[in-house]
Amino acid sequence: SKRQQPESTPFLRAEVQALILLAASVFYYLCVFTYSPLDPSFMASSGVEAISNLGGLVGAYLSGLLFFLFGGASYFIGLYFIFNSLLLFTHKREHLRFLDFFVFIICATFIAIFLQLQFTEISFGVYHINAGGTIGKLLGEVGHKYLGTWGVYIVVVMGALLTFTMATQLSLVETFSTSTLIIGKGMGSLGGTLWIWSARLKKYFAN
């Protein structure tokens, strides 16, 4: 007879995956937040020797590609790693599915279209890129042509909400309540810390 796996094995596997996703999210945002149009990328060569991206050459090429394709929605894509890391840590999900990431990319595409329709461009110093990247600009123009302004906004918002729910397997109510709870605890902790330091400073200056 086959030996049964310990009950902790699935949880251990999930936590390992969660740690990998957490590390991936840190590296991802390290690359995205330090993006510079002056760094080398797939779309343009650069004569600058020193790469400013904290992710190095990989970070420069990765962030350059993401901003070219998705524009400002690049900041959203990294949430996939964070959400799934939390779901695995809390055992609300036992393993990763590639399909979820694909659906999340579709969600990011809807957000890219929304950003393109709203802002048209975002700037990095003197450099300007499409707010929704190449994908957002192309699909936004097609959507606006065939659906009109209100039609494309309705499709984009509903599409983003639907694909987000499918990718995370979280209800919107649960997501909102969880986010509110996390923000509330964070603000409470911050408020407590500020109150303690304020009391210490008052005591220090009083002496």
Side-chain angles (χ1 to χ4, degrees), residues 15-125:
E15 290 176 0
V16 170
Q17 291 178 347
L19 287 172
I20 293 173
L21 285 176
L22 188 60
S25 68
V26 171
F27 181 76
Y28 179 91
Y29 280 111
L30 198 67
C31 299
V32 170
F33 283 132
T34 58
Y35 164 72
S36 170
L38 297 176
D39 286 337
S41 67
F42 291 108
M43 280 61 63
S45 59
S46 173
V48 180
E49 294 184 1
I51 296 174
S52 61
N53 196 293
L54 295 181
L57 188 62
V58 172
Y61 275 90
L62 175 64
S63 59
L65 179 62
L66 287 168
F67 277 103
F68 174 76
L69 293 175
F70 298 100
S74 301
Y75 295 112
F76 172 80
I77 296 175
L79 293 178
Y80 168 83
F81 304 110
I82 296 175
F83 268 111
N84 279 278
S85 177
L86 292 174
L87 290 173
L88 288 167
F89 267 129
T90 55
H91 302 147
K92 290 186 177 180
R93 179 169 294 181
E94 294 183 358
H95 57 83
L96 292 174
R97 298 190 308 170
F98 176 76
L99 180 61
D100 293 336
F101 181 71
F102 178 73
V103 175
F104 207 84
I105 292 296
I106 297 175
C107 182
T109 301
F110 282 118
I111 292 174
I113 298 171
F114 180 85
L115 293 176
Q116 185 64 34
L117 294 172
Q118 280 289 103
F119 306 106
T120 308
E121 288 185 342
I122 54 176
S123 60
F124 294 89

Side-chain angles (χ1 to χ4, degrees), residues 121-143:
E121 288 185 342
I122 54 176
S123 60
F124 294 89
V126 297
Y127 294 92
H128 302 272
I129 65 171
N130 294 319
T134 304
I135 292 176
K137 179 178 175 59
L138 178 62
L139 296 180
E141 290 175 349
V142 173

Side-chain angles (χ1 to χ4, degrees), residues 27 145 195:
F27 181 76
K145 178 180 178 180
W195 185 85

